[in-house]
Structures are given as structure tokens and as C-alpha cells.
Amino acid sequence: AVLCRPEFITIHTAGGSAMMTAAAEAARDAAAKENVPAPQLLGVTVLTHLDSGDLAAVGQGSSPADQVKRLALLAQNAGLAGVVCSPQEIGLLRGVLNKSMLLVVPGIRPAGSAAGDQKRVMTPAQAAELGADYLVIGRPITQAANPAATAKEILNSITARAA
């Protein structure tokens, strides 16, 4: 049997410090027991389809940026490898988190593409320039007439801006 070992596992930061710490310890312990590299745990902060009004509706009076910062710092202190955040919080988190913390960023939309249900979005090149480690780009590619060409265009937009 072929075993698939995930490189990343996401957990919800809203579960709190104790849960995140326990998850990080369990991942390390299980990996050590199997003598394999531990997966990197990523804490999901505030989903990219939520804005201030949505947070208020569920009883969280903070702005998305304040809530993301609070949850990301909890994740860092709990020993997670990084967080999942919207592109709108990349700059904020790069200013407050350790440089080793990974930022995995959904809500990526190439220029001219529809935002869909996403409310906190940015282009791939902008997100990369701000310091995202990984970009999550789903529907702009999967719903394209030519997904491979679209993926290549996105990659070219990032590398052209970096040059």
C-alpha cells in the first residue's frame, strides 16, 4: 500500500490555544513514532468570504484584521507552522509574526476575474509581493476555459512582477 503523508494540515484557530498546542504536539508525536517528517500545521483564521458585517452577525465585533491578528498570534504561540489568512492581512501579519511563520493565502483572484463569494481578495502578484508563502487559487483556474493556460498566465504575472 502506498501511504500519502500530508505536508500541511489545517486546523481552526478559533478552537483556542490548548487545542492548537495539543494538535501540534500530536502531529509531532505521531510523526516521530512513524519516523517520518511531521506535517506542518496551519491555523485557519478568518475565512476570505467574511467581512466586518459577517463577523458582527456571528457575535465577533472585531474587524477581520484584528481578529486575524489575534488568532494568528495564538497560532504562533501554540507552535503552529503558519496560518491561512486573506491577502488583506499579509502585510499586517508580516509585521507581527515571526518570519518563519508561513502565510497560506486564499482569496487570490487574477486581475479581471470575478471575486465570486470572496470579499477579501487580491491579485496573485500583489499577494506574492506582500510576502505570501503559498497562494491558493481555485476557481479562477478550475473554471477557466483553458485551466493550464490560465495557471501559466498567473505564474507569469507573479514572476514578471518579481523581475
PDB file of all heavy atoms in Angstrom, residues 45-85:
ATOM      1  N   THR A  45      -7.602  31.261  10.024  1.00  0.00           N
ATOM      2  CA  THR A  45      -8.013  32.432  10.807  1.00  0.00           C
ATOM      3  C   THR A  45      -9.444  32.822  10.428  1.00  0.00           C
ATOM      4  O   THR A  45     -10.378  32.147  10.821  1.00  0.00           O
ATOM      5  CB  THR A  45      -7.020  33.591  10.616  1.00  0.00           C
ATOM      6  OG1 THR A  45      -6.944  33.926   9.227  1.00  0.00           O
ATOM      7  CG2 THR A  45      -5.635  33.225  11.142  1.00  0.00           C
ATOM      8  N   VAL A  46      -9.632  33.883   9.687  1.00  0.00           N
ATOM      9  CA  VAL A  46     -10.964  34.342   9.275  1.00  0.00           C
ATOM     10  C   VAL A  46     -11.129  34.036   7.789  1.00  0.00           C
ATOM     11  O   VAL A  46     -10.304  34.452   6.973  1.00  0.00           O
ATOM     12  CB  VAL A  46     -11.149  35.851   9.544  1.00  0.00           C
ATOM     13  CG1 VAL A  46     -12.491  36.335   9.040  1.00  0.00           C
ATOM     14  CG2 VAL A  46     -11.005  36.135  11.045  1.00  0.00           C
ATOM     15  N   LEU A  47     -12.180  33.318   7.449  1.00  0.00           N
ATOM     16  CA  LEU A  47     -12.404  32.906   6.067  1.00  0.00           C
ATOM     17  C   LEU A  47     -12.528  34.113   5.148  1.00  0.00           C
ATOM     18  O   LEU A  47     -13.065  35.153   5.545  1.00  0.00           O
ATOM     19  CB  LEU A  47     -13.655  32.032   5.985  1.00  0.00           C
ATOM     20  CG  LEU A  47     -13.598  30.755   6.841  1.00  0.00           C
ATOM     21  CD1 LEU A  47     -14.941  30.030   6.790  1.00  0.00           C
ATOM     22  CD2 LEU A  47     -12.471  29.846   6.409  1.00  0.00           C
ATOM     23  N   THR A  48     -12.058  33.965   3.915  1.00  0.00           N
ATOM     24  CA  THR A  48     -11.988  35.095   2.991  1.00  0.00           C
ATOM     25  C   THR A  48     -13.345  35.561   2.479  1.00  0.00           C
ATOM     26  O   THR A  48     -13.438  36.621   1.886  1.00  0.00           O
ATOM     27  CB  THR A  48     -11.081  34.766   1.783  1.00  0.00           C
ATOM     28  OG1 THR A  48     -11.548  33.556   1.177  1.00  0.00           O
ATOM     29  CG2 THR A  48      -9.647  34.605   2.215  1.00  0.00           C
ATOM     30  N   HIS A  49     -14.383  34.793   2.717  1.00  0.00           N
ATOM     31  CA  HIS A  49     -15.709  35.254   2.277  1.00  0.00           C
ATOM     32  C   HIS A  49     -16.430  36.040   3.378  1.00  0.00           C
ATOM     33  O   HIS A  49     -17.565  36.457   3.192  1.00  0.00           O
ATOM     34  CB  HIS A  49     -16.575  34.081   1.786  1.00  0.00           C
ATOM     35  CG  HIS A  49     -17.049  33.173   2.869  1.00  0.00           C
ATOM     36  ND1 HIS A  49     -16.293  32.122   3.332  1.00  0.00           N
ATOM     37  CD2 HIS A  49     -18.195  33.166   3.578  1.00  0.00           C
ATOM     38  CE1 HIS A  49     -16.966  31.505   4.296  1.00  0.00           C
ATOM     39  NE2 HIS A  49     -18.120  32.122   4.460  1.00  0.00           N
ATOM     40  N   LEU A  50     -15.750  36.285   4.494  1.00  0.00           N
ATOM     41  CA  LEU A  50     -16.333  37.049   5.602  1.00  0.00           C
ATOM     42  C   LEU A  50     -15.772  38.462   5.638  1.00  0.00           C
ATOM     43  O   LEU A  50     -14.585  38.671   5.392  1.00  0.00           O
ATOM     44  CB  LEU A  50     -16.052  36.354   6.937  1.00  0.00           C
ATOM     45  CG  LEU A  50     -16.592  34.932   7.099  1.00  0.00           C
ATOM     46  CD1 LEU A  50     -16.120  34.347   8.420  1.00  0.00           C
ATOM     47  CD2 LEU A  50     -18.099  34.911   7.001  1.00  0.00           C
ATOM     48  N   ASP A  51     -16.633  39.413   5.976  1.00  0.00           N
ATOM     49  CA  ASP A  51     -16.196  40.789   6.194  1.00  0.00           C
ATOM     50  C   ASP A  51     -16.667  41.235   7.572  1.00  0.00           C
ATOM     51  O   ASP A  51     -17.180  40.427   8.353  1.00  0.00           O
ATOM     52  CB  ASP A  51     -16.676  41.717   5.073  1.00  0.00           C
ATOM     53  CG  ASP A  51     -18.195  41.785   4.942  1.00  0.00           C
ATOM     54  OD1 ASP A  51     -18.926  41.380   5.878  1.00  0.00           O
ATOM     55  OD2 ASP A  51     -18.667  42.267   3.895  1.00  0.00           O
ATOM     56  N   SER A  52     -16.512  42.509   7.885  1.00  0.00           N
ATOM     57  CA  SER A  52     -16.879  43.017   9.216  1.00  0.00           C
ATOM     58  C   SER A  52     -18.337  42.750   9.557  1.00  0.00           C
ATOM     59  O   SER A  52     -18.662  42.381  10.688  1.00  0.00           O
ATOM     60  CB  SER A  52     -16.605  44.520   9.302  1.00  0.00           C
ATOM     61  OG  SER A  52     -15.227  44.763   9.222  1.00  0.00           O
ATOM     62  N   GLY A  53     -19.229  42.938   8.585  1.00  0.00           N
ATOM     63  CA  GLY A  53     -20.648  42.685   8.827  1.00  0.00           C
ATOM     64  C   GLY A  53     -20.926  41.238   9.160  1.00  0.00           C
ATOM     65  O   GLY A  53     -21.737  40.934  10.051  1.00  0.00           O
ATOM     66  N   ASP A  54     -20.250  40.334   8.466  1.00  0.00           N
ATOM     67  CA  ASP A  54     -20.427  38.912   8.747  1.00  0.00           C
ATOM     68  C   ASP A  54     -19.917  38.558  10.143  1.00  0.00           C
ATOM     69  O   ASP A  54     -20.554  37.782  10.867  1.00  0.00           O
ATOM     70  CB  ASP A  54     -19.678  38.065   7.712  1.00  0.00           C
ATOM     71  CG  ASP A  54     -20.201  38.254   6.308  1.00  0.00           C
ATOM     72  OD1 ASP A  54     -21.440  38.243   6.120  1.00  0.00           O
ATOM     73  OD2 ASP A  54     -19.369  38.410   5.395  1.00  0.00           O
ATOM     74  N   LEU A  55     -18.775  39.125  10.531  1.00  0.00           N
ATOM     75  CA  LEU A  55     -18.241  38.850  11.867  1.00  0.00           C
ATOM     76  C   LEU A  55     -19.182  39.382  12.944  1.00  0.00           C
ATOM     77  O   LEU A  55     -19.419  38.716  13.955  1.00  0.00           O
ATOM     78  CB  LEU A  55     -16.839  39.448  12.023  1.00  0.00           C
ATOM     79  CG  LEU A  55     -15.727  38.781  11.215  1.00  0.00           C
ATOM     80  CD1 LEU A  55     -14.396  39.470  11.494  1.00  0.00           C
ATOM     81  CD2 LEU A  55     -15.635  37.303  11.508  1.00  0.00           C
ATOM     82  N   ALA A  56     -19.723  40.564  12.726  1.00  0.00           N
ATOM     83  CA  ALA A  56     -20.667  41.132  13.692  1.00  0.00           C
ATOM     84  C   ALA A  56     -21.909  40.260  13.807  1.00  0.00           C
ATOM     85  O   ALA A  56     -22.442  40.057  14.909  1.00  0.00           O
ATOM     86  CB  ALA A  56     -21.049  42.557  13.286  1.00  0.00           C
ATOM     87  N   ALA A  57     -22.369  39.715  12.698  1.00  0.00           N
ATOM     88  CA  ALA A  57     -23.575  38.885  12.707  1.00  0.00           C
ATOM     89  C   ALA A  57     -23.404  37.608  13.522  1.00  0.00           C
ATOM     90  O   ALA A  57     -24.380  37.085  14.062  1.00  0.00           O
ATOM     91  CB  ALA A  57     -23.989  38.538  11.272  1.00  0.00           C
ATOM     92  N   VAL A  58     -22.176  37.129  13.639  1.00  0.00           N
ATOM     93  CA  VAL A  58     -21.937  35.920  14.441  1.00  0.00           C
ATOM     94  C   VAL A  58     -21.370  36.258  15.823  1.00  0.00           C
ATOM     95  O   VAL A  58     -20.862  35.386  16.527  1.00  0.00           O
ATOM     96  CB  VAL A  58     -21.021  34.907  13.707  1.00  0.00           C
ATOM     97  CG1 VAL A  58     -21.702  34.389  12.452  1.00  0.00           C
ATOM     98  CG2 VAL A  58     -19.654  35.488  13.403  1.00  0.00           C
ATOM     99  N   GLY A  59     -21.461  37.524  16.204  1.00  0.00           N
ATOM    100  CA  GLY A  59     -21.085  37.914  17.553  1.00  0.00           C
ATOM    101  C   GLY A  59     -19.638  38.277  17.754  1.00  0.00           C
ATOM    102  O   GLY A  59     -19.181  38.398  18.894  1.00  0.00           O
ATOM    103  N   GLN A  60     -18.888  38.458  16.679  1.00  0.00           N
ATOM    104  CA  GLN A  60     -17.491  38.877  16.798  1.00  0.00           C
ATOM    105  C   GLN A  60     -17.414  40.329  16.358  1.00  0.00           C
ATOM    106  O   GLN A  60     -17.474  40.625  15.173  1.00  0.00           O
ATOM    107  CB  GLN A  60     -16.585  38.000  15.935  1.00  0.00           C
ATOM    108  CG  GLN A  60     -16.559  36.571  16.397  1.00  0.00           C
ATOM    109  CD  GLN A  60     -15.655  35.709  15.525  1.00  0.00           C
ATOM    110  OE1 GLN A  60     -14.981  36.185  14.635  1.00  0.00           O
ATOM    111  NE2 GLN A  60     -15.647  34.427  15.807  1.00  0.00           N
ATOM    112  N   GLY A  61     -17.271  41.217  17.303  1.00  0.00           N
ATOM    113  CA  GLY A  61     -17.287  42.637  16.999  1.00  0.00           C
ATOM    114  C   GLY A  61     -16.001  43.186  16.417  1.00  0.00           C
ATOM    115  O   GLY A  61     -15.939  44.344  16.040  1.00  0.00           O
ATOM    116  N   SER A  62     -14.970  42.366  16.318  1.00  0.00           N
ATOM    117  CA  SER A  62     -13.683  42.830  15.793  1.00  0.00           C
ATOM    118  C   SER A  62     -13.731  42.982  14.283  1.00  0.00           C
ATOM    119  O   SER A  62     -14.518  42.332  13.603  1.00  0.00           O
ATOM    120  CB  SER A  62     -12.584  41.811  16.118  1.00  0.00           C
ATOM    121  OG  SER A  62     -12.457  41.631  17.495  1.00  0.00           O
ATOM    122  N   SER A  63     -12.836  43.802  13.765  1.00  0.00           N
ATOM    123  CA  SER A  63     -12.644  43.856  12.320  1.00  0.00           C
ATOM    124  C   SER A  63     -11.964  42.558  11.904  1.00  0.00           C
ATOM    125  O   SER A  63     -11.316  41.898  12.728  1.00  0.00           O
ATOM    126  CB  SER A  63     -11.758  45.049  11.950  1.00  0.00           C
ATOM    127  OG  SER A  63     -10.430  44.810  12.388  1.00  0.00           O
ATOM    128  N   PRO A  64     -12.066  42.186  10.634  1.00  0.00           N
ATOM    129  CA  PRO A  64     -11.342  40.988  10.195  1.00  0.00           C
ATOM    130  C   PRO A  64      -9.842  41.074  10.512  1.00  0.00           C
ATOM    131  O   PRO A  64      -9.259  40.095  10.980  1.00  0.00           O
ATOM    132  CB  PRO A  64     -11.598  40.939   8.688  1.00  0.00           C
ATOM    133  CG  PRO A  64     -12.930  41.599   8.529  1.00  0.00           C
ATOM    134  CD  PRO A  64     -12.926  42.715   9.564  1.00  0.00           C
ATOM    135  N   ALA A  65      -9.234  42.229  10.289  1.00  0.00           N
ATOM    136  CA  ALA A  65      -7.796  42.361  10.547  1.00  0.00           C
ATOM    137  C   ALA A  65      -7.464  42.126  12.016  1.00  0.00           C
ATOM    138  O   ALA A  65      -6.506  41.419  12.337  1.00  0.00           O
ATOM    139  CB  ALA A  65      -7.304  43.737  10.100  1.00  0.00           C
ATOM    140  N   ASP A  66      -8.248  42.694  12.917  1.00  0.00           N
ATOM    141  CA  ASP A  66      -7.993  42.500  14.351  1.00  0.00           C
ATOM    142  C   ASP A  66      -8.168  41.044  14.756  1.00  0.00           C
ATOM    143  O   ASP A  66      -7.372  40.496  15.528  1.00  0.00           O
ATOM    144  CB  ASP A  66      -8.918  43.381  15.194  1.00  0.00           C
ATOM    145  CG  ASP A  66      -8.557  44.855  15.129  1.00  0.00           C
ATOM    146  OD1 ASP A  66      -7.429  45.187  14.716  1.00  0.00           O
ATOM    147  OD2 ASP A  66      -9.422  45.683  15.487  1.00  0.00           O
ATOM    148  N   GLN A  67      -9.203  40.412  14.235  1.00  0.00           N
ATOM    149  CA  GLN A  67      -9.466  39.007  14.570  1.00  0.00           C
ATOM    150  C   GLN A  67      -8.371  38.108  14.005  1.00  0.00           C
ATOM    151  O   GLN A  67      -7.901  37.191  14.672  1.00  0.00           O
ATOM    152  CB  GLN A  67     -10.848  38.588  14.072  1.00  0.00           C
ATOM    153  CG  GLN A  67     -11.254  37.184  14.448  1.00  0.00           C
ATOM    154  CD  GLN A  67     -11.517  36.989  15.934  1.00  0.00           C
ATOM    155  OE1 GLN A  67     -11.288  37.874  16.775  1.00  0.00           O
ATOM    156  NE2 GLN A  67     -11.988  35.822  16.288  1.00  0.00           N
ATOM    157  N   VAL A  68      -7.954  38.363  12.764  1.00  0.00           N
ATOM    158  CA  VAL A  68      -6.888  37.565  12.153  1.00  0.00           C
ATOM    159  C   VAL A  68      -5.594  37.713  12.957  1.00  0.00           C
ATOM    160  O   VAL A  68      -4.920  36.722  13.246  1.00  0.00           O
ATOM    161  CB  VAL A  68      -6.676  37.964  10.677  1.00  0.00           C
ATOM    162  CG1 VAL A  68      -5.387  37.370  10.127  1.00  0.00           C
ATOM    163  CG2 VAL A  68      -7.861  37.531   9.836  1.00  0.00           C
ATOM    164  N   LYS A  69      -5.255  38.929  13.326  1.00  0.00           N
ATOM    165  CA  LYS A  69      -4.039  39.157  14.109  1.00  0.00           C
ATOM    166  C   LYS A  69      -4.100  38.398  15.429  1.00  0.00           C
ATOM    167  O   LYS A  69      -3.140  37.714  15.806  1.00  0.00           O
ATOM    168  CB  LYS A  69      -3.858  40.656  14.366  1.00  0.00           C
ATOM    169  CG  LYS A  69      -2.641  40.992  15.202  1.00  0.00           C
ATOM    170  CD  LYS A  69      -2.553  42.492  15.441  1.00  0.00           C
ATOM    171  CE  LYS A  69      -1.442  42.848  16.398  1.00  0.00           C
ATOM    172  NZ  LYS A  69      -1.417  44.302  16.676  1.00  0.00           N
ATOM    173  N   ARG A  70      -5.214  38.504  16.126  1.00  0.00           N
ATOM    174  CA  ARG A  70      -5.391  37.820  17.419  1.00  0.00           C
ATOM    175  C   ARG A  70      -5.217  36.312  17.249  1.00  0.00           C
ATOM    176  O   ARG A  70      -4.473  35.656  17.982  1.00  0.00           O
ATOM    177  CB  ARG A  70      -6.775  38.137  17.980  1.00  0.00           C
ATOM    178  CG  ARG A  70      -7.104  37.476  19.296  1.00  0.00           C
ATOM    179  CD  ARG A  70      -8.508  37.829  19.799  1.00  0.00           C
ATOM    180  NE  ARG A  70      -8.690  39.266  19.925  1.00  0.00           N
ATOM    181  CZ  ARG A  70      -9.474  40.021  19.145  1.00  0.00           C
ATOM    182  NH1 ARG A  70     -10.175  39.466  18.170  1.00  0.00           N
ATOM    183  NH2 ARG A  70      -9.574  41.304  19.327  1.00  0.00           N
ATOM    184  N   LEU A  71      -5.889  35.739  16.258  1.00  0.00           N
ATOM    185  CA  LEU A  71      -5.840  34.295  16.052  1.00  0.00           C
ATOM    186  C   LEU A  71      -4.468  33.835  15.557  1.00  0.00           C
ATOM    187  O   LEU A  71      -3.985  32.770  15.948  1.00  0.00           O
ATOM    188  CB  LEU A  71      -6.937  33.871  15.073  1.00  0.00           C
ATOM    189  CG  LEU A  71      -8.368  34.061  15.589  1.00  0.00           C
ATOM    190  CD1 LEU A  71      -9.374  33.823  14.464  1.00  0.00           C
ATOM    191  CD2 LEU A  71      -8.659  33.163  16.779  1.00  0.00           C
ATOM    192  N   ALA A  72      -3.830  34.636  14.713  1.00  0.00           N
ATOM    193  CA  ALA A  72      -2.503  34.274  14.204  1.00  0.00           C
ATOM    194  C   ALA A  72      -1.467  34.260  15.325  1.00  0.00           C
ATOM    195  O   ALA A  72      -0.595  33.384  15.362  1.00  0.00           O
ATOM    196  CB  ALA A  72      -2.086  35.236  13.100  1.00  0.00           C
ATOM    197  N   LEU A  73      -1.543  35.223  16.233  1.00  0.00           N
ATOM    198  CA  LEU A  73      -0.608  35.225  17.362  1.00  0.00           C
ATOM    199  C   LEU A  73      -0.838  34.022  18.272  1.00  0.00           C
ATOM    200  O   LEU A  73       0.120  33.425  18.775  1.00  0.00           O
ATOM    201  CB  LEU A  73      -0.717  36.544  18.136  1.00  0.00           C
ATOM    202  CG  LEU A  73      -0.120  37.752  17.406  1.00  0.00           C
ATOM    203  CD1 LEU A  73      -0.519  39.063  18.095  1.00  0.00           C
ATOM    204  CD2 LEU A  73       1.396  37.627  17.307  1.00  0.00           C
ATOM    205  N   LEU A  74      -2.096  33.637  18.461  1.00  0.00           N
ATOM    206  CA  LEU A  74      -2.392  32.418  19.234  1.00  0.00           C
ATOM    207  C   LEU A  74      -1.779  31.198  18.547  1.00  0.00           C
ATOM    208  O   LEU A  74      -1.192  30.334  19.200  1.00  0.00           O
ATOM    209  CB  LEU A  74      -3.900  32.218  19.389  1.00  0.00           C
ATOM    210  CG  LEU A  74      -4.638  33.105  20.373  1.00  0.00           C
ATOM    211  CD1 LEU A  74      -6.147  32.834  20.296  1.00  0.00           C
ATOM    212  CD2 LEU A  74      -4.143  32.867  21.795  1.00  0.00           C
ATOM    213  N   ALA A  75      -1.924  31.129  17.219  1.00  0.00           N
ATOM    214  CA  ALA A  75      -1.378  30.002  16.462  1.00  0.00           C
ATOM    215  C   ALA A  75       0.142  29.941  16.592  1.00  0.00           C
ATOM    216  O   ALA A  75       0.721  28.869  16.785  1.00  0.00           O
ATOM    217  CB  ALA A  75      -1.781  30.121  14.988  1.00  0.00           C
ATOM    218  N   GLN A  76       0.790  31.086  16.484  1.00  0.00           N
ATOM    219  CA  GLN A  76       2.243  31.132  16.620  1.00  0.00           C
ATOM    220  C   GLN A  76       2.660  30.652  18.001  1.00  0.00           C
ATOM    221  O   GLN A  76       3.564  29.826  18.141  1.00  0.00           O
ATOM    222  CB  GLN A  76       2.735  32.560  16.389  1.00  0.00           C
ATOM    223  CG  GLN A  76       4.228  32.738  16.583  1.00  0.00           C
ATOM    224  CD  GLN A  76       4.646  34.142  16.227  1.00  0.00           C
ATOM    225  OE1 GLN A  76       4.976  34.398  15.087  1.00  0.00           O
ATOM    226  NE2 GLN A  76       4.629  35.044  17.192  1.00  0.00           N
ATOM    227  N   ASN A  77       1.998  31.145  19.037  1.00  0.00           N
ATOM    228  CA  ASN A  77       2.341  30.769  20.401  1.00  0.00           C
ATOM    229  C   ASN A  77       2.058  29.302  20.692  1.00  0.00           C
ATOM    230  O   ASN A  77       2.682  28.710  21.574  1.00  0.00           O
ATOM    231  CB  ASN A  77       1.611  31.664  21.401  1.00  0.00           C
ATOM    232  CG  ASN A  77       2.106  33.093  21.353  1.00  0.00           C
ATOM    233  OD1 ASN A  77       3.227  33.361  20.924  1.00  0.00           O
ATOM    234  ND2 ASN A  77       1.260  34.026  21.765  1.00  0.00           N
ATOM    235  N   ALA A  78       1.121  28.706  19.935  1.00  0.00           N
ATOM    236  CA  ALA A  78       0.785  27.296  20.121  1.00  0.00           C
ATOM    237  C   ALA A  78       1.740  26.377  19.362  1.00  0.00           C
ATOM    238  O   ALA A  78       1.649  25.157  19.489  1.00  0.00           O
ATOM    239  CB  ALA A  78      -0.653  27.048  19.665  1.00  0.00           C
ATOM    240  N   GLY A  79       2.650  26.949  18.582  1.00  0.00           N
ATOM    241  CA  GLY A  79       3.631  26.138  17.880  1.00  0.00           C
ATOM    242  C   GLY A  79       3.240  25.707  16.482  1.00  0.00           C
ATOM    243  O   GLY A  79       3.854  24.800  15.913  1.00  0.00           O
ATOM    244  N   LEU A  80       2.239  26.357  15.885  1.00  0.00           N
ATOM    245  CA  LEU A  80       1.864  26.035  14.516  1.00  0.00           C
ATOM    246  C   LEU A  80       2.905  26.584  13.546  1.00  0.00           C
ATOM    247  O   LEU A  80       3.614  27.547  13.857  1.00  0.00           O
ATOM    248  CB  LEU A  80       0.482  26.597  14.181  1.00  0.00           C
ATOM    249  CG  LEU A  80      -0.704  25.669  14.518  1.00  0.00           C
ATOM    250  CD1 LEU A  80      -0.752  25.270  15.969  1.00  0.00           C
ATOM    251  CD2 LEU A  80      -2.000  26.293  14.080  1.00  0.00           C
ATOM    252  N   ALA A  81       2.966  25.997  12.363  1.00  0.00           N
ATOM    253  CA  ALA A  81       3.943  26.409  11.357  1.00  0.00           C
ATOM    254  C   ALA A  81       3.513  27.663  10.620  1.00  0.00           C
ATOM    255  O   ALA A  81       4.345  28.359  10.037  1.00  0.00           O
ATOM    256  CB  ALA A  81       4.169  25.286  10.348  1.00  0.00           C
ATOM    257  N   GLY A  82       2.218  27.950  10.631  1.00  0.00           N
ATOM    258  CA  GLY A  82       1.737  29.112   9.907  1.00  0.00           C
ATOM    259  C   GLY A  82       0.241  29.241  10.011  1.00  0.00           C
ATOM    260  O   GLY A  82      -0.405  28.523  10.780  1.00  0.00           O
ATOM    261  N   VAL A  83      -0.291  30.168   9.234  1.00  0.00           N
ATOM    262  CA  VAL A  83      -1.729  30.429   9.250  1.00  0.00           C
ATOM    263  C   VAL A  83      -2.261  30.577   7.831  1.00  0.00           C
ATOM    264  O   VAL A  83      -1.515  30.870   6.896  1.00  0.00           O
ATOM    265  CB  VAL A  83      -2.094  31.702  10.061  1.00  0.00           C
ATOM    266  CG1 VAL A  83      -1.748  31.527  11.540  1.00  0.00           C
ATOM    267  CG2 VAL A  83      -1.446  32.937   9.480  1.00  0.00           C
ATOM    268  N   VAL A  84      -3.561  30.389   7.716  1.00  0.00           N
ATOM    269  CA  VAL A  84      -4.286  30.674   6.487  1.00  0.00           C
ATOM    270  C   VAL A  84      -4.992  31.999   6.733  1.00  0.00           C
ATOM    271  O   VAL A  84      -5.721  32.146   7.700  1.00  0.00           O
ATOM    272  CB  VAL A  84      -5.312  29.566   6.166  1.00  0.00           C
ATOM    273  CG1 VAL A  84      -6.084  29.897   4.894  1.00  0.00           C
ATOM    274  CG2 VAL A  84      -4.623  28.204   6.061  1.00  0.00           C
ATOM    275  N   CYS A  85      -4.711  32.976   5.863  1.00  0.00           N
ATOM    276  CA  CYS A  85      -5.278  34.307   6.031  1.00  0.00           C
ATOM    277  C   CYS A  85      -5.639  34.880   4.674  1.00  0.00           C
ATOM    278  O   CYS A  85      -5.156  34.412   3.654  1.00  0.00           O
ATOM    279  CB  CYS A  85      -4.293  35.239   6.737  1.00  0.00           C
ATOM    280  SG  CYS A  85      -2.801  35.588   5.772  1.00  0.00           S
TER     281      CYS A  85
END
